[in-house]
Amino acid sequence: MTAAAARPRDVYLFSTCLLDMFLPEAGLDAITLLEREGLRVHYPQGQSCCGQPAYTSGLPDEARVVARQQLGLFDQPWPIVVPSGSCGGMMKHHWPTLFEGTPDEARAKAIAERVVELTDFLRNVLKVQWQDQGKPVKVAVHTSCSARREMNVHTNGWALVDGLTNVQRVVHDHESECCGFGGTFSIKHPDISGAMVADKTAALAGTGADEFITADGGCLLNINGKFAKDGRKFKGRHIASFLLERTGGKK
C-alpha cells in the first residue's frame, strides 16, 4: 500500500489486541472514520495478536504460531488498515522475515503489501479534508518509535491535526523519544522503562497542552498510566477518537 494507491471501496480493519482488549472505543472510532468516507469496513472476528510480543522477545517459533492464525483472515485483495504503528510495522516489515522459508511465506508477503497504518491511509489514500467543529484547543502529539522509525508515518498524524483550524499542535522536547513501553521491554526492564515514561510525561505536561494524542494504544496506556499513578489529571487519547470528535462525531 502506497500513497499513490487508488481509493478503495472495501477495507479490512486489524484493530490490534491492545485496542480490542483495553481501548475498544478507539477501534470503533477508527471504523466510524472510515465508514464516514463511504468505505465498507470488514472486521474479521478471528483476529487476535500480530505476534509482536513473542517476536521482540526472541521467540520466533511462538510468534509464528500466533501470527499464522491471522494469515487466513484477509483473503480479499483489500487494504488492511491498522490503527497502530507498532502492529502495522510487525505485519508489514517483520512477517515476511518471520515466515521466510515456510509454506506461508508468499501469503505473509502478500498481506504485508496491503498493510497500511490508519493516519497514513486517511491522509494519503483517502485524502480527507475535514471541517473542524470543536472549540479552540491545544494538543501535544506522541508518536511511537515504530510509527516514526519503522512505518515513517508520524508526519501524517501531525498533518491531520494541523488541518483542524481550531487545534494548536505544540511540540514537546521529548517528542522523538520512546515512552518506555516497548511491549515486553517495560516488563523486563521496569526501572529503565519507568525513567523513560517519567521524562515523557514531564515533557508532555510541560507543553501547557490541554491533552495529548497518539496513534498507538500501548504508548497511550503506558503514558496515561504514569499520569494516573502521579495523580495528574492530564491524559491522552487515541488519535482516531480525537479526529472523530473534532469532525462531528458519529453521523
Side-chain angles (χ1 to χ4, degrees):
M1 180 60 57
T2 67
R7 184 185 180 98
R9 297 181 61 185
D10 295 83
V11 297
Y12 288 111
L13 184 82
F14 185 82
S15 69
T16 81
C17 53
L18 264 178
L19 261 64
D20 186 41
M21 296 296 295
F22 300 106
L23 299 164
E25 68 282 0
L28 291 171
D29 290 342
I31 290 174
T32 301
L33 284 174
L34 297 171
E35 289 181 337
R36 281 196 333 188
E37 296 302 309
L39 303 183
R40 290 188 291 260
V41 181
H42 302 264
Y43 186 91
Q45 293 297 312
Q47 64 179 279
S48 57
C49 178
C50 66
Q52 184 185 66
Y55 186 74
T56 56
S57 295
L59 301 170
D61 292 337
E62 288 80 357
R64 268 190 295 274
V65 171
V66 176
R68 184 174 287 117
Q69 297 179 42
Q70 321 306 315
L71 294 181
L73 302 177
F74 309 103
D75 55 337
Q76 297 299 317
W78 304 326
I80 303 167
V81 181
V82 185
S84 164
S86 58
C87 298
M90 176 66 187
M91 297 168 73
K92 192 171 189 67
H93 299 297
H94 298 294
W95 274 12
T97 301
L98 184 65
F99 288 101
E100 187 175 7
T102 75
D104 295 306
E105 180 178 1
R107 187 162 55 163
K109 288 182 177 179
I111 289 176
E113 291 174 355
R114 292 187 281 128
V115 169
V116 58
E117 189 268 344
L118 175 65
T119 62
D120 188 15
F121 188 74
L122 291 172
R123 182 191 180 199
N124 296 315
V125 179
L126 298 185
K127 302 184 186 302
V128 296
Q129 294 183 343
W130 293 320
Q131 182 177 359
D132 190 356
Q133 300 182 34
K135 297 179 180 179
V137 67
K138 183 186 296 185
V139 302
V141 177
H142 166 74
T143 52
S144 73
C145 302
S146 296
R148 181 181 291 268
R149 298 178 177 90
E150 280 196 336
M151 297 293 279
N152 193 30
V153 296
H154 56 291
T155 57
N156 295 307
W158 295 346
L160 291 170
V161 172
D162 291 344
L164 301 172
T165 55
N166 292 327
V167 178
Q168 178 186 354
R169 177 173 62 89
V170 293
V171 179
H172 57 96
D173 59 11
H174 282 60
E175 187 155 345
S176 64
E177 297 185 14
C178 178
C179 74
F181 178 59
T184 56
F185 174 85
S186 61
I187 299 173
K188 295 178 179 179
H189 306 284
D191 293 338
I192 299 174
S193 175
M196 294 171 73
V197 74
D199 287 345
K200 175 65 71 169
T201 53
L204 285 168
T207 62
D210 299 296
E211 64 176 319
F212 79 90
I213 56 175
T214 180
D216 280 80
C219 301
L220 180 60
L221 291 171
N222 188 44
I223 298 171
N224 274 347
K226 174 60 175 172
F227 277 128
K229 182 179 180 180
D230 292 344
R232 302 287 296 270
K233 293 183 178 180
F234 188 83
K235 66 177 184 178
R237 52 180 161 158
H238 196 279
I239 193 169
S241 299
F242 178 79
L243 292 173
L244 182 62
E245 178 187 273
R246 298 297 306 187
T247 58
K250 299 179 181 180
K251 292 185 177 180

